[in-house]
Amino acid sequence: MAQDSERVKRAIEIAKKAHAGQFRKTGEPYIIHPLAVKKILEEWGMDEDTIIAGVLHDTVEDTDLRLDDIKREFGESVAFLVDGVTKLSTARNGMRDIDTYLPETKDNFLRLMIALGDDIRVLIIKLADRLHNLRTLSALPPDKQRKIAKETLEVFAPLADRLNMGLLRVEMADLAFKYVDPKRYAYLKDLIEKHNKSAARVLKKIEQEISAALKKEKINFELSGRVKSVYSLHKKLAKHNQNMGEIYDLTALRIIVDDVTDCYLALGVVHSLYTPMGGRIKDYIAMPKQNGYQSLHTTVITKDKHVIEFQIRTREMHEYAERGLAASFYYNEQKLTENYKKGKIEHLPTNLLWITELQMTAARLREGKKVDLRKLKLNLFADRIFVYTPKGDIIDLPQGALPLDFAYRLHSEIGDHVVGVKINGKMSNLNHKLQHGDIVEIMTSKNQTAKRSWLDKIITPHARQKLLHRLNSNTKK
Ligand code: MN
């Protein structure tokens, strides 16, 4: 491992002091956790600011250290990252139990994470944090284990997938699934292991055949096996009525080549050796997946009637498939800034443009430029707005929402007692449509009671239901 820089050493010192006397559920000193997060971020090849923010990620929330201290010591960028991670976890704490916030709110949480992660590095730190917590989950009581595991499957693993961090997605999903459904996990894991054992000899023969054929065509290549994850097998089986006969990719081989042309040449070689199965050739090179994943997939049947999937890709595609955005982050960031200065938008697969836009906004924020959040046109949030409480909590509402929708979203006690609203520090009224990025402060009074006329001043079903409930119980009194 590379030597820690002076800044990183200093961050470790500060974090150690701040967390002194705190312990994890495992009984170990707390500092073990931020140091583990640091190590994960280093393995992902993240930049120094992200690594420092990883070391400090729990200090603002859990210790006396303040954001100002971090800003003074390590600069704007590190402070921005720590602040983002802190906001995320505060937002999450406010969300109570996963069982009550799923499934509808889970999408909101995902949106929220992305919104707060306008610097994508915030999300990457959060993912590293979650990964280490999962790796040490056995120390927690069973109900907490289940909660964290379930939330991982519903929110964090899909997020890793969205960022095309394949290795992380698989590790997270399998760690979590073990806690969500231990019996099923054990059963499927055993099944995969048995399958791998019996497939080993077949695979060896195929590897020899394919190697010889590729060499003959003078294609530079590398071969590797791919282990199917327990959780993805579970999901696939659920989709196919538990019919193992429908699972064609239990055995898979990867061919990694130098360039795109060689990908198609290698595909030709595979098809000249074995019979391709109809409808199972997928060209994700010409048509990348939503998360930017690229590869050629084909399922073939060998002469001995074995079914095997081939995945063919370039080294670059492979790297991106396994490490995703973390891998290309640094590269992107630099190119992005260059191109941004030239007024060009980076060419990424269309569906990854949201990341570019987020990063450009983050870059502008970091340069201290004013950013009009309203101009951020992200398809992802097309129908939603994000507004803030004066404390900086973020609330996700549909387009066109009014102050009472916001108030009832905070708490029905707040909703019932609204006397006024300040928007961005200015007095406003209850008919005022909230805008993306508004800071909304609700004023209440004990003496206020909910009014029937308010029904015209709300648009969300949630607020409507709360208000009707209050009106009905008032009439009964
Ligand atoms: Mn943490």
Side-chain angles (χ1 to χ4, degrees):
M1 183 121 312
Q3 192 79 40
D4 287 336
S5 71
E6 286 310 313
R7 282 177 87 216
V8 173
K9 280 187 197 153
R10 179 97 188 101
I12 294 173
E13 226 174 86
I14 289 176
K16 268 187 185 157
K17 225 181 258 168
H19 287 295
Q22 297 178 341
F23 294 90
R24 296 206 97 211
K25 285 283 185 318
T26 53
E28 296 163 304
Y30 195 86
I31 191 69
I32 296 284
H33 168 63
L35 290 182
V37 170
K38 164 185 177 271
K39 193 161 168 256
I40 293 170
L41 291 169
E42 283 168 349
E43 283 164 6
W44 290 351
M46 297 309 291
D47 62 302
E48 189 183 84
D49 279 353
T50 308
I51 287 164
I52 292 173
V55 172
L56 297 170
H57 80 273
D58 278 329
T59 54
V60 172
E61 198 187 356
D62 297 338
T63 77
D64 293 335
L65 205 67
R66 289 170 317 137
L67 207 57
D68 280 345
D69 304 327
I70 293 175
K71 199 188 274 181
R72 205 175 327 108
E73 190 74 36
F74 299 103
E76 200 78 50
S77 167
V78 172
F80 182 87
L81 294 173
V82 174
D83 190 37
V85 178
T86 309
K87 278 192 182 135
L88 262 189
S89 87
T90 333
R92 178 177 163 269
N93 290 343
M95 292 189 135
R96 284 171 259 263
D97 198 326
I98 183 115
D99 287 319
T100 59
Y101 92 60
L102 287 176
E104 199 220 308
T105 326
K106 111 190 162 205
D107 291 331
N108 293 345
F109 187 41
L110 197 55
R111 285 198 188 101
L112 184 86
M113 291 192 52
I114 292 162
L116 285 171
D118 53 8
D119 185 330
I120 208 75
R121 293 177 300 176
V122 171
L123 296 186
I124 290 176
I125 296 169
K126 195 64 207 164
L127 286 168
D129 176 43
R130 173 53 57 110
L131 179 60
H132 182 244
N133 285 335
L134 276 175
R135 284 176 178 168
T136 52
L137 201 56
S138 62
L140 292 187
D143 61 318
K144 275 222 159 165
Q145 286 177 344
R146 270 185 60 86
K147 178 183 165 174
I148 291 176
K150 228 174 136 188
E151 188 185 49
T152 301
L153 290 182
E154 302 280 354
V155 179
F156 289 88
L159 180 66
D161 185 44
R162 190 160 211 156
L163 303 180
N164 200 15
M165 297 171 78
L167 287 178
L168 175 65
R169 174 183 53 82
V170 167
E171 184 178 353
M172 273 190 161
D174 278 9
L175 278 170
F177 186 48
K178 202 159 82 182
Y179 288 95
V180 169
D181 195 343
K183 269 195 200 143
R184 180 87 179 145
Y185 176 86
Y187 168 76
L188 290 177
K189 189 163 173 55
D190 186 57
L191 201 130
I192 290 175
E193 268 160 20
K194 278 190 186 131
H195 172 85
N196 286 346
K197 237 182 231 163
S198 72
R201 270 187 55 198
V202 180
L203 219 51
K204 199 156 189 201
K205 188 171 166 228
I206 294 173
E207 279 183 41
Q208 283 164 354
E209 288 172 354
I210 207 82
S211 297
L214 288 169
K215 266 182 208 148
K216 217 172 125 200
E217 295 300 321
K218 302 213 168 11
I219 299 171
N220 233 336
F221 70 94
E222 225 174 84
L223 274 187
S224 69
R226 181 293 259 113
V227 180
K228 182 136 188 90
S229 88
V230 175
Y231 186 61
S232 72
L233 177 59
H234 167 73
K235 281 213 324 210
K236 247 197 187 158
L237 280 170
K239 204 165 106 189
H240 294 289
N241 293 317
Q242 306 304 325
N243 183 0
M244 267 312 266
E246 295 278 328
I247 312 295
Y248 297 118
D249 61 349
L250 262 185
T251 316
L253 263 186
R254 276 190 193 128
I255 305 175
I256 296 166
V257 296
D258 290 340
D259 55 36
V260 172
T261 311
D262 281 355
C263 288
Y264 291 103
L265 286 177
L267 181 71
V269 169
V270 170
H271 285 176
S272 68
L273 279 176
Y274 313 112
T275 315
M277 277 174 78
R280 296 204 54 89
I281 305 165
K282 289 172 202 144
D283 186 348
Y284 295 121
I285 292 180
M287 280 166 290
K289 283 193 187 180
Q290 287 226 335
N291 59 12
Y293 173 88
Q294 289 187 297
S295 208
L296 298 174
H297 289 193
T298 183
T299 308
V300 299
I301 305 168
T302 67
K303 279 145 224 146
D304 312 325
K305 301 278 172 264
H306 288 108
V307 175
I308 171 164
E309 184 185 84
F310 281 90
Q311 302 177 347
I312 306 166
R313 50 177 87 146
T314 66
R315 191 160 313 284
E316 223 181 336
M317 291 171 191
H318 181 58
E319 180 80 349
Y320 187 61
E322 301 222 304
R323 307 200 306 133
L325 214 69
S328 61
F329 161 75
Y330 197 66
Y331 164 80
N332 269 334
E333 179 87 344
Q334 285 180 327
K335 235 176 137 179
L336 200 70
T337 321
E338 267 168 47
N339 283 344
Y340 170 59
K341 282 181 188 149
K342 288 185 216 145
K344 263 198 303 188
I345 289 198
E346 172 68 46
H347 180 74
L348 286 171
T350 337
N351 290 297
L352 287 180
L353 270 180
W354 63 272
I355 287 167
T356 312
E357 291 185 27
L358 286 177
Q359 290 195 322
M360 282 173 86
T361 308
R364 268 176 284 173
L365 279 173
R366 275 199 301 278
E367 287 165 20
K369 294 205 180 119
K370 261 204 145 175
V371 171
D372 188 352
L373 288 171
R374 269 163 281 196
K375 289 212 179 106
L376 245 191
K377 281 194 212 101
L378 297 176
N379 284 337
L380 203 63
F381 317 128
D383 52 340
R384 308 293 291 184
I385 56 167
F386 294 95
V387 296
Y388 297 84
T389 69
K391 277 188 184 163
D393 288 328
I394 191 164
I395 305 290
D396 166 27
L397 289 166
Q399 198 96 244
L402 298 163
L404 281 170
D405 293 304
F406 176 84
Y408 275 104
R409 191 54 189 284
L410 295 180
H411 200 282
S412 55
E413 278 299 310
I414 296 178
D416 289 342
H417 296 102
V418 172
V419 288
V421 58
K422 271 190 195 170
I423 296 171
N424 302 323
K426 285 195 202 118
M427 284 302 297
S428 190
N429 63 63
L430 299 182
N431 290 313
H432 186 104
K433 270 190 196 161
L434 300 178
Q435 303 289 324
H436 193 58
D438 278 347
I439 299 167
V440 187
E441 184 179 354
I442 296 291
M443 281 160 291
T444 59
S445 156
K446 289 201 294 269
N447 304 321
Q448 176 71 296
T449 51
K451 303 201 168 9
R452 190 156 291 274
S453 63
W454 286 0
L455 284 170
D456 299 332
K457 294 180 175 40
I458 53 183
I459 70 152
T460 57
H462 170 82
R464 192 180 170 78
Q465 188 200 335
K466 296 277 173 190
L467 175 57
L468 281 173
H469 180 78
R470 169 57 57 201
L471 291 171
N472 288 340
S473 63
N474 283 354
T475 9
K476 270 175 214 148
K477 267 186 214 159

